[in-house]
Amino acid sequence: MTEAVRLDGITKRFPGVVANDDVTLSVERGTVHALLGENGAGKTTLMNVLYGLYEPTDGDVYVDGDGLTYDDDGAIADAPRRFDSPRDAIDAGVGMIHQHFMLVDPMTVAENITLGNEPRKWGGLAVDREAAREAVIDLSERYGFDVEPEATIEDVGVGVQQRVEILKALYRGAEVLILDEPTAVLTPQEVEDLFEVLDELTDAGKTVIFITHKLGEALEAADEVTVLRDGRNVGSVETAGTTREELAELMVGREVVLETDTPPATPGEPALTVEGVTAYDDRDVVAVDDVSFAVREGEVFGIAGVDGNGQSELVEVVTGLHEPAEGRVELAGRDVTGASRRERTRKGMAYIPEDRQERGLVMEFDLTENGVLGSQHDPPFAERGRLDWSRADDHAADIVEEYDVRPADTGAAAKSLSGGNQQKFIVGREFARDPACIVASHPTRGVDIGSTEFIHDRLVDLRDDGRAVLLVSSKLDEVRGLADRLAVMYRGRVVDVVDPDEVTEEQLGLMMAGEGPEDVPRAETLVGDGADRAADEAGATVPDGVDAEVTDD
């Protein structure tokens, strides 16, 4: 084996926390290596050490794109590296592509790739734009990437933006590429394209390390997988000789049920109705375009789509955080279009937000304070204008225990928790409201597989107890596994409402890209759910501005 990277006995301590505990990791040159683990297991910290964002407390980092060398006794002959910053890591051939792309939207592809390292002309007085363009074309052709150097970033899709980030690292001489949750914002077809890119990179001798929570993708794309648990390396296995179940058990230390047992739904009356909603984004551009659907008691209504197609604005309209330009929202038959977020909470709507730090928590507050957010003026936490802090602390402690929030300290500030533990606390708080309607926007984003299993089971329990669940997620396995009916959004509109048990991933991917296959298995249609299409199938015509009601009868 020719090692490109070796992390030898890495320990990283923070005040009161050991994030990495004597971790040794070996990555073979020219391979794809996946890094798996629960939230708080130390994956991101370990990669931050490799990328120069953190200095290890103990241990050594070895990097050589051509392979490390050893002496006659089997010891590494190369000198360990010391990275004081990402610039040092980049100079050593290590690049990192973050989940949230670091690109300048108004600039072109070529300008983003060469930014900070532009070729110069006229004795260095000006940027040589033609040389930059040619360099990008050369890189793209060398690795089989399909990018247009003159296209602006704001005009290309997320899949192309991701390729631009990879090309940016390659342009700077990266031999080792770290990808953080690389498939989070991609359609299934774009995921397949990314895997082809990884093959091109490794065929050219590059080495790829990627962090992912998706076991199936790790098995498909990686040659080897390393699992971290509680800051330690608990095993490295070749993907050819393992299974999803074995990896899941390594991650959480116990057997995990990967498929949610979802018995047939017995839906009742509509609990949440959205009729003809149109809304604009912060740039005054239409983000939600005449969307209608109904969520019934005792069902999970899913919404799938690539991030950025209006789902966020739609959820904000439903939950009272964004005022629609047109349309109405009803909760249990009552018009709540003009009601505030607090009023909707009092009327029985719980909300798990997409952005946990901006919408779900006050980062400076401790868990006791965050546990009563939205209920701080109401019983049982407040009477006669005074908060019962003892009851509030007991409430937070119950959430911490039931949802395994770490550290188990209700006095800890929200900002001190990892993203996954912040998410678990929010989910626990919202479920504890005993809601009639739950709006769950990416409820398991950044959450480990054991906690994902628990959250999924709780959503199904709430559904079976007659609650209405609106589930928005970019994870196709999540919405297909939990939803009883599934809507697909593209550019602010609902493309169709389908049967998640019958629709294929390929069909969903086409709809998420704006293409409408003719043979998709459609779900039962309610008022407003694709009324024009359903009426057309029945041979009727729906005049503009008029909703149709289609039933099974």
Side-chain angles (χ1 to χ4, degrees):
M1 176 174 123
T2 304
E3 289 180 307
V5 172
R6 184 173 181 83
L7 303 177
D8 198 5
I10 297 295
T11 295
K12 179 59 182 176
R13 297 187 183 94
F14 298 98
V17 177
V18 179
N20 293 135
D21 187 2
D22 192 24
V23 176
T24 294
L25 171 66
S26 173
V27 182
E28 186 175 355
R29 181 175 183 265
T31 65
V32 178
H33 197 108
L35 195 60
L36 294 173
E38 293 188 294
N39 295 107
K43 306 182 302 298
T44 300
T45 301
L46 189 66
M47 290 300 96
N48 284 341
V49 167
L50 176 56
Y51 190 54
L53 285 168
Y54 293 151
E55 182 180 350
T57 307
D58 292 301
D60 295 312
V61 174
Y62 298 91
V63 175
D64 192 325
D66 295 325
L68 302 175
T69 56
Y70 295 82
D71 60 23
D72 293 339
D73 296 325
I76 298 177
D78 303 72
R81 301 293 186 117
R82 177 187 173 90
F83 299 149
D84 293 325
S85 69
R87 169 55 62 188
D88 291 342
I90 291 168
D91 291 343
V94 179
M96 188 166 184
I97 291 85
H98 301 273
Q99 183 176 346
H100 302 289
F101 303 145
M102 298 182 180
L103 300 171
V104 183
D105 287 349
M107 294 176 66
T108 67
V109 167
E111 288 169 338
N112 270 278
I113 291 171
T114 60
L115 185 63
N117 294 270
E118 300 92 342
R120 314 294 295 188
K121 61 182 180 180
W122 301 341
L125 296 176
V127 174
D128 190 337
R129 298 183 184 278
E130 184 58 30
R133 181 177 179 276
E134 292 300 323
V136 170
I137 291 174
D138 178 64
L139 267 180
S140 301
E141 291 178 349
R142 192 185 317 168
Y143 295 103
F145 286 19
D146 182 18
V147 298
E148 170 52 54
E150 298 303 320
T152 57
I153 292 299
E154 59 192 359
D155 293 331
V156 301
V158 290
V160 175
Q161 291 180 22
Q162 186 175 66
R163 294 184 182 204
V164 172
E165 284 281 20
I166 294 172
L167 285 169
K168 189 167 69 173
L170 294 172
Y171 179 77
R172 286 156 176 75
E175 293 292 330
V176 177
L177 289 165
I178 305 167
L179 279 69
D180 183 12
E181 297 286 353
T183 66
V185 295
L186 304 181
T187 67
Q189 284 81 0
E190 288 171 330
V191 171
E192 291 302 320
D193 291 343
L194 173 64
F195 291 167
E196 291 178 8
V197 166
L198 299 187
D199 288 339
E200 294 283 351
L201 291 170
T202 53
D203 287 346
K206 305 296 183 182
T207 304
V208 178
I209 305 172
F210 79 92
I211 302 169
T212 179
H213 286 91
K214 301 177 182 179
L215 298 176
E217 290 180 357
L219 287 170
E220 182 178 353
D223 302 292
E224 192 170 11
V225 179
T226 292
V227 180
L228 298 186
R229 187 169 75 235
D230 296 329
R232 286 182 165 272
N233 181 345
V234 295
S236 294
V237 295
E238 294 184 359
T239 54
T242 192
T243 65
R244 294 173 75 240
E245 289 75 16
E246 290 171 345
L247 287 177
E249 189 167 348
L250 272 177
M251 286 174 65
V252 301
R254 61 174 176 82
E255 186 177 351
V256 177
V257 179
L258 295 175
E259 303 296 333
T260 304
D261 183 15
T262 310
T266 54
E269 296 299 314
L272 173 67
T273 304
V274 173
E275 294 184 5
V277 164
T278 295
Y280 294 85
D281 64 15
D282 295 338
R283 299 173 298 168
D284 206 28
V285 174
V286 174
V288 181
D289 189 1
D290 193 24
V291 167
S292 298
F293 60 85
V295 187
R296 298 170 294 188
E297 299 168 345
E299 83 164 341
V300 177
F301 185 86
I303 296 180
V306 176
D307 284 348
N309 277 275
Q311 304 98 309
S312 298
E313 291 83 0
L314 175 61
V315 167
E316 290 183 350
V317 168
V318 169
T319 56
L321 296 171
H322 192 111
E323 185 176 352
E326 297 178 23
R328 57 189 277 132
V329 178
E330 292 184 358
L331 187 60
R334 294 176 293 183
D335 187 350
V336 295
T337 310
S340 68
R341 171 79 221 110
R342 181 179 298 171
E343 289 176 289
R344 298 185 201 207
T345 299
R346 287 172 174 167
K347 293 180 185 297
M349 178 186 286
Y351 173 39
I352 300 168
E354 174 183 353
D355 190 328
R356 51 182 164 249
Q357 296 188 359
E358 289 294 324
R359 297 292 195 189
L361 298 165
V362 177
M363 301 302 288
E364 304 298 326
F365 284 9
D366 63 29
L367 297 187
T368 296
E369 293 166 316
N370 274 290
V372 296
L373 285 182
S375 302
Q376 66 268 31
H377 300 289
D378 304 316
F381 304 114
E383 291 188 16
R384 299 176 183 176
R386 295 181 63 86
L387 259 170
D388 185 338
W389 286 110
S390 177
R391 187 184 291 271
D393 191 58
D394 290 343
H395 174 65
D398 289 342
I399 296 171
V400 166
E401 180 179 3
E402 184 174 0
Y403 288 82
D404 189 28
V405 178
R406 306 176 193 176
D409 177 10
T410 59
K415 65 180 180 181
S416 70
L417 274 63
S418 69
N421 281 293
Q422 292 170 2
Q423 185 75 4
K424 286 191 285 186
F425 187 81
I426 293 170
V427 169
R429 181 189 67 203
E430 296 305 307
F431 285 176
R433 297 189 193 279
D434 192 28
C437 174
I438 304 97
V439 180
S441 184
H442 305 278
T444 60
R445 175 173 283 175
V447 173
D448 59 71
I449 190 168
S451 298
T452 294
E453 174 195 21
F454 182 78
I455 292 169
H456 285 175
D457 288 343
R458 288 293 290 120
L459 284 169
V460 173
D461 289 344
L462 288 166
R463 182 207 73 166
D464 292 345
D465 196 35
R467 321 302 172 91
V469 180
L470 174 60
L471 172 65
V472 179
S473 178
S474 58
K475 298 179 181 179
L476 287 187
D477 55 348
E478 183 166 66
V479 287
R480 290 179 70 192
L482 293 176
D484 301 299
R485 294 186 301 138
L486 179 58
V488 180
M489 285 191 72
Y490 174 72
R491 292 190 175 178
R493 296 185 68 90
V494 171
V495 177
D496 218 327
V497 181
V498 298
D499 183 342
D501 294 328
E502 300 296 332
V503 71
T504 67
E505 189 167 290
E506 181 181 4
Q507 289 170 328
L508 281 175
L510 288 171
M511 286 188 285
M512 290 164 65
E515 301 179 28
E518 292 296 325
D519 56 345
V520 293
R522 296 184 170 95
E524 177 188 3
T525 308
L526 301 179
V527 176
D529 293 346
D532 290 343
R533 172 193 54 74
D536 287 343
E537 291 176 351
T541 301
V542 180
D544 290 344
V546 178
D547 285 338
E549 181 170 354
V550 181
T551 68
D552 289 341
D553 296 335

